[in-house]
Amino acid sequence: MRNEQIYEGKAKKLLLTDDKNVLLQRFKDSATAFNGVKKAEFAGKGETNNAISTFCFQKLEAAGVPTHFIERVNDRDMLIKRLDMIPLEIVVRNIVAGSLAKRTGLDEGTVVKEPIVETYLKRDDLNDPHLADVHVFMLDILRPDQLERLKQLALKVNATLDPIFERAGMKLVDFKLEFGLDADGQVVLGDEFSPDTSRLWDLETRRKLDKDVFRADLGDLMEVYHEVAARLGVLPQT
Ligand code: UDP
């Protein structure tokens, strides 16, 4: 297997394989927040997020959401289909938190009546600005039918995973997705689904079980990530 790295992000790397349509996605132990301003290493985070993402992608595929996931090949790597990534961050929200609380003045914890889907431009240098649909079209990022399909899929991800997290004693407060286009121009879910890119609260106590623990120095991040993995029935990572 070739090992040439073609991309390194804040929490993952992408490497080539012998098949030009398949990449190896490697989960790193790094955590960053506030657009990379705060950084730290957490031993075992890569393995835990690989396991949680694998679990979520398998549930989503079973529910009919097309994803880039092929298989988990070892502790920190999964094989994925190569996509032409769409430069958007798609956020779905069930409960008000984070930037939505700041932007609207609503209290953190307010229930969003109907889940909402938001679109942000993936541009660190611009601080990932929020985009209206007209801007997505103006920037020639997607056609209207593709954006519609992407939003439908984002809501389907929510409808699939929210009850799974709920059965595991957690509220899926919000999460970020990234999509790509396959060779046929079809919208496919890429990236990851983990406590790095979602907010998960204990159903009873509302204790935060996600990267906000790192952002706000609320405790031991790996203890929390292991708890999420254990509650989902994903093998405990060592
Ligand atoms: N999120 C992410 N990457 C980003 C921005 C947000 O994974 O670059 C996730 C974040 O963890 C949360 C959701 O998207 O689950 C909504 O984040 P929000 O807009 O509230 O921004 P934040 O408060 O994280 O700045």
Side-chain angles (χ1 to χ4, degrees):
M1 188 180 281
R2 282 156 68 191
N3 256 337
E4 190 188 331
Q5 183 174 309
I6 56 163
Y7 171 82
E8 177 157 12
K10 298 184 194 102
K12 298 187 296 298
K13 295 177 181 180
L14 294 176
L15 298 100
L16 294 174
T17 70
D18 293 333
D19 183 338
K20 68 176 179 11
N21 298 313
V22 176
L23 297 176
L24 193 75
Q25 175 159 271
R26 175 160 297 162
F27 289 78
K28 306 197 298 183
D29 285 343
S30 328
T32 67
F34 313 118
N35 201 5
V37 172
K38 183 172 179 175
K39 283 185 212 154
E41 292 291 306
F42 293 94
K45 184 170 85 73
E47 289 174 36
T48 308
N49 280 355
N50 189 30
I52 294 171
S53 280
T54 294
F55 171 87
C56 292
F57 281 135
Q58 285 170 336
K59 295 290 181 194
L60 292 169
E61 284 283 347
V65 176
T67 81
H68 69 163
F69 178 77
I70 300 172
E71 63 171 329
R72 177 178 177 272
V73 285
N74 62 47
D75 285 353
R76 61 177 60 241
D77 300 329
M78 60 168 64
L79 290 176
I80 58 169
K81 292 172 207 148
R82 190 169 193 158
L83 301 176
D84 184 12
M85 291 307 288
I86 300 163
L88 296 177
E89 300 203 343
I90 306 300
V91 170
V92 179
R93 302 181 185 268
N94 296 305
I95 305 277
V96 173
S99 72
L100 186 62
K102 290 202 193 92
R103 200 144 36 93
T104 60
L106 291 169
D107 288 336
E108 183 176 86
T110 306
V111 175
V112 179
K113 276 180 238 126
E114 279 296 310
I116 57 171
V117 183
E118 300 173 340
T119 309
Y120 296 85
L121 182 63
K122 194 174 161 71
R123 275 281 297 266
D124 280 348
D125 59 332
L126 299 179
N127 261 317
D128 296 345
H130 183 244
L131 296 185
D133 292 358
V134 286
H135 302 127
V136 175
F137 306 140
M138 184 192 83
L139 292 167
D140 269 332
I141 295 174
L142 289 173
R143 298 189 310 261
D145 61 303
Q146 291 172 318
L147 183 60
E148 199 45 48
R149 170 74 174 149
L150 182 152
K151 288 183 186 176
Q152 258 178 23
L153 288 174
L155 288 172
K156 190 157 183 187
V157 169
N158 188 48
T160 305
L161 295 182
D162 183 46
I164 291 173
F165 280 101
E166 182 153 339
R167 282 197 292 279
M170 293 172 275
K171 182 63 205 169
L172 181 54
V173 170
D174 59 29
F175 57 88
K176 184 265 298 180
L177 302 173
E178 294 183 31
F179 292 86
L181 298 175
D182 67 12
D184 302 325
Q186 293 298 312
V187 178
V188 176
L189 180 64
D191 197 46
E192 68 182 293
F193 197 106
S194 77
D196 268 9
T197 56
S198 58
R199 286 195 170 94
L200 303 165
W201 291 355
D202 180 86
L203 265 187
E204 302 294 319
T205 66
R206 287 196 178 182
R207 183 163 72 99
K208 293 181 198 302
L209 301 169
D210 56 60
K211 204 168 83 173
D212 275 348
V213 170
F214 169 64
R215 290 190 186 98
D217 295 318
L218 301 177
D220 181 339
L221 187 74
M222 282 318 301
E223 189 190 303
V224 161
Y225 279 32
H226 286 142
E227 167 97 33
V228 172
R231 288 189 189 196
L232 292 174
V234 168
L235 287 178
Q237 305 298 302
T238 50

